[in-house]
Amino acid sequence: MHPASHVTTTPDRPALIMAGTGETTTYLELEHRSNQGAHLFRSLGLKVGDVVAILMENGPRFLEVAWAAQRAGLYFTCIPTKLTAPEVEYILNDCGAQALIVSPDIESADELGARMDRLSLFMSAEARDPFHSYEGERAHFPVTPISDQAAGSDMLYTSGTSGRPKGVKLPISGSAFDSEIRMEVVCRELFGFEPGCIYLCPAPLYHSAPLRFSMTVQRLGGTVVLMEKFDPEAVLTLIEKYGVTCAQFVPTHFIRMLRLPDAVRKRFDPSLLKSVIHASAPCPVPVKEAMIAWWGPVIHEFYSGTEPVGMCHITSQEWLTHKGSVGRAVVGILHICDDEGEPLPARTEGSVYFEGGTWVAYHNDEAKTAEVHNQHGWSTLGDVGWMDEEGYLYLTDRKSFMIISGGVNIYPQEVENLLIGHPKIADVAVVGAPHEEMGEQVVAVVQPMPGFTPGPELGQEIIEFSRAHLSHVKVPRRVDFMDELPRHATGKLYKRLIRDAYWGKAEAKIV
């Protein structure tokens, strides 16, 4: 199925409704605009397998660009909007993008325009030099399909402990542009998405789950209600206003909705919801219990990643008898392995691997690809956990100390690489510490250079230094100090000792 297949039956049905403005895009409009976009990309010389990059806030043009690329057989790389210009530039160069489409309010847009003149540059709405108007250029082309339609794919980036993002690039098969994809099957059979469903998207489309769920809903002929920005009370209002039947959240969203005043929550009737999905970060057991008690047993959880190594799934009913689990494998075969990559018995903690999932190499990174495979050819997202006798997985750690704050992945090494260059820092470790609302917050633990006094003044200086060089989500929210960071004689940092101190698992002298 494909949005194009619904034009003859429901041309006036909304494919997209913007939550804040109410602007609506019908299936006929989506068809015409994505066809024009595909013609535009062909006019630039882009052929099947080439790459366009999307650096856009949630808005009506985002999915129009994605579908234009998809039906032209292109990869579309969606880039987080808060990255700095050098961070975006790295991704643009690594993925080999030939065109870039940006929103006018992107902070890095003007700098990118000056730095990336090798690309075809477009801006939605009112464009400014050196960008061309995406809508204006698109309008010159016919609304009928290009002659050589083929199925394209997203090419998204995920970071690792090195801090450098890694591209997940699945092979483009050359199949028909409207061929069925696995996500359709997952949404229908696991999550109960129905043709014509109404889906609320409260998160940025540059993330894999919101993007893929939204595009799948449009494959099914449903309506995406897209929020420009998450607001807990607005979520409840939108569900009732549009008759939302399905939605996807992260645990931070749950926490914020649960904190709404009782009077607000009592006004909301959750009976419209048929399927609510969450993932991205561990959900505290009390939070999930409260959400099921409020919204009923409609909440699904899945464990997977941008890398399609495998997938686990659990329903509300299952979770209530296996609290804390992220489910059983529904894609791939689940294994818990020791440090040598060999399977472990039930209820033994180890690295989580999947056998048989769809997987290809990280783009341009053979070393990182090798790190996530064991000698059996099984793949891992880098998480640690254990499995019970029934095959339910329980996660006990994150990939390599990755920090997940509000559902956003933050990788410590990149922050550490910056801070170690500060003239007053002798050594530094960046870890995630508990945060009641966001799940985790970024903390920099600093060993000052001799002659510099640890304290609030130096801590604030380090935070300001970080703000000048990093996107805001990566900036430490707290700076603590140690006389000397725990390192082995070989120089290896015992970061676990530092991190565990914040989680009540160990003691460390942190001031």
Side-chain angles (χ1 to χ4, degrees):
M1 301 180 72
H2 190 275
S5 64
H6 306 295
V7 173
T8 56
T9 55
T10 55
D12 298 325
R13 181 180 180 84
L16 175 74
I17 300 173
M18 293 305 303
T21 65
E23 180 179 347
T24 298
T25 304
T26 67
Y27 272 92
L28 182 61
E29 290 170 331
L30 180 59
E31 171 73 3
H32 287 175
R33 294 168 186 174
S34 61
N35 281 332
Q36 289 177 310
H39 280 289
L40 172 59
F41 293 144
R42 284 288 186 267
S43 77
L44 301 174
L46 274 65
K47 59 187 183 301
V48 173
D50 287 340
V51 184
V52 300
I54 304 173
L55 180 62
M56 304 179 77
E57 297 157 331
N58 281 7
R61 302 291 86 82
F62 197 118
L63 291 172
E64 293 173 9
V65 174
W67 282 118
Q70 186 277 335
R71 67 192 309 157
L74 306 176
Y75 288 104
F76 44 105
T77 295
C78 306
I79 302 174
T81 57
K82 298 302 182 183
L83 295 183
T84 63
E87 291 168 331
V88 175
E89 184 178 6
Y90 171 82
I91 293 175
L92 293 173
N93 289 330
D94 187 71
C95 74
Q98 292 168 264
L100 170 65
I101 302 93
V102 305
S103 299
D105 294 333
I106 298 297
E107 292 182 7
S108 60
D110 292 326
E111 187 175 350
L112 287 167
R115 297 169 71 127
M116 302 302 296
D117 56 359
R118 71 170 182 82
L119 301 182
S120 296
L121 299 171
F122 299 93
M123 182 175 285
S124 64
E126 296 184 9
R128 56 184 181 270
D129 288 337
F131 294 89
H132 298 279
S133 167
Y134 177 75
E135 293 91 334
E137 296 297 320
R138 183 182 68 182
H140 297 309
F141 294 94
V143 299
T144 52
I146 58 175
S147 61
D148 58 341
Q149 293 189 109
S153 173
D154 62 52
M155 178 187 175
L156 306 180
Y157 274 73
T158 180
S159 293
T161 54
S162 68
R164 280 294 195 185
K166 304 185 297 296
V168 180
K169 187 177 185 180
L170 301 179
I172 287 181
S173 64
S175 57
F177 79 103
D178 55 356
S179 299
E180 185 178 68
I181 61 172
R182 177 185 286 175
M183 192 71 175
E184 288 181 61
V185 178
V186 168
C187 285
R188 289 197 311 263
E189 297 185 2
L190 287 186
F191 303 139
F193 285 23
E194 299 176 347
C197 59
I198 301 174
Y199 167 73
L200 179 66
C201 180
L205 288 172
Y206 55 71
H207 285 307
S208 58
L211 175 70
R212 292 169 179 172
F213 277 115
S214 294
M215 296 186 76
T216 300
V217 166
Q218 291 180 334
R219 283 179 176 271
L220 296 172
T223 298
V224 175
V225 180
L226 180 61
M227 299 183 73
E228 292 87 347
K229 183 179 181 181
F230 175 79
D231 177 84
E233 187 169 353
V235 165
L236 308 185
T237 300
L238 291 166
I239 289 172
E240 293 192 319
K241 179 177 180 179
Y242 292 110
V244 169
T245 58
C246 48
Q248 183 256 329
F249 299 99
V250 298
T252 298
H253 294 156
F254 286 163
I255 293 169
R256 292 183 178 179
M257 288 187 286
L258 287 167
R259 287 180 176 172
L260 288 169
D262 288 342
V264 174
R265 291 178 54 191
K266 287 178 181 177
R267 291 200 308 264
F268 171 65
D269 179 8
S271 63
L272 291 169
L273 291 166
K274 307 300 180 187
S275 181
V276 174
I277 304 146
H278 79 93
S280 178
C283 187
V285 169
V287 171
K288 190 161 181 178
E289 287 174 331
M291 287 303 301
I292 293 174
W294 183 16
W295 285 6
V298 297
I299 298 176
H300 298 256
E301 182 173 1
F302 72 92
Y303 166 65
S304 187
T306 304
E307 307 95 319
V309 301
M311 179 179 180
C312 292
H313 167 255
I314 191 167
T315 65
S316 292
Q317 293 88 342
E318 290 176 293
W319 186 87
L320 288 169
T321 58
H322 300 81
K323 291 184 179 181
S325 174
V326 296
R328 293 187 286 190
V330 293
V331 175
I333 302 169
L334 189 62
H335 300 279
I336 306 298
C337 297
D338 60 21
D339 291 341
E340 284 70 48
E342 296 300 329
L344 291 166
R347 298 185 179 275
T348 305
E349 185 177 275
S351 297
V352 180
Y353 279 85
F354 285 94
E355 173 188 359
T358 303
W359 176 242
V360 292
Y362 286 123
H363 184 58
N364 292 335
D365 203 331
E366 293 181 2
K368 291 299 176 185
T369 300
E371 286 180 12
V372 299
H373 292 86
N374 66 11
Q375 68 271 27
H376 303 293
W378 305 340
S379 305
T380 180
L381 294 169
D383 293 306
V384 175
W386 57 276
M387 187 166 47
D388 68 17
E389 293 80 1
E390 298 176 81
Y392 286 92
L393 173 64
Y394 299 77
L395 297 177
T396 55
D397 207 344
R398 318 279 211 293
K399 37 173 135 170
S400 305
F401 307 112
M402 177 181 72
I403 301 165
I404 304 178
S405 181
V408 177
N409 295 350
I410 302 164
Y411 297 87
Q413 187 66 52
E414 183 179 7
V415 187
E416 291 166 352
N417 289 345
L418 171 70
L419 294 183
I420 199 62
H422 191 286
K424 298 180 182 179
I425 295 177
D427 203 356
V428 61
V430 174
V431 298
H435 189 276
E436 184 178 5
E437 182 177 47
M438 303 302 289
E440 290 183 288
Q441 64 176 337
V442 181
V443 176
V445 181
V446 170
Q447 177 183 328
M449 292 288 287
F452 293 101
T453 304
E457 185 175 344
L458 178 56
Q460 188 59 38
E461 179 181 334
I462 291 168
I463 290 173
E464 293 300 327
F465 175 79
S466 301
R467 285 176 179 157
H469 296 87
L470 296 169
S471 49
H472 79 282
V473 295
K474 302 174 185 176
V475 173
R477 298 307 191 254
R478 172 176 168 181
V479 176
D480 293 330
F481 297 90
M482 297 183 72
D483 293 335
E484 184 175 359
L485 266 60
R487 287 189 179 272
H488 189 270
T490 61
K492 179 181 178 181
L493 176 66
Y494 291 119
K495 188 183 286 188
R496 184 178 296 276
L497 295 178
I498 299 172
R499 182 184 184 275
D500 284 354
Y502 290 95
W503 293 85
K505 298 179 181 178
E507 292 186 4
K509 189 178 180 182
I510 300 173
V511 298

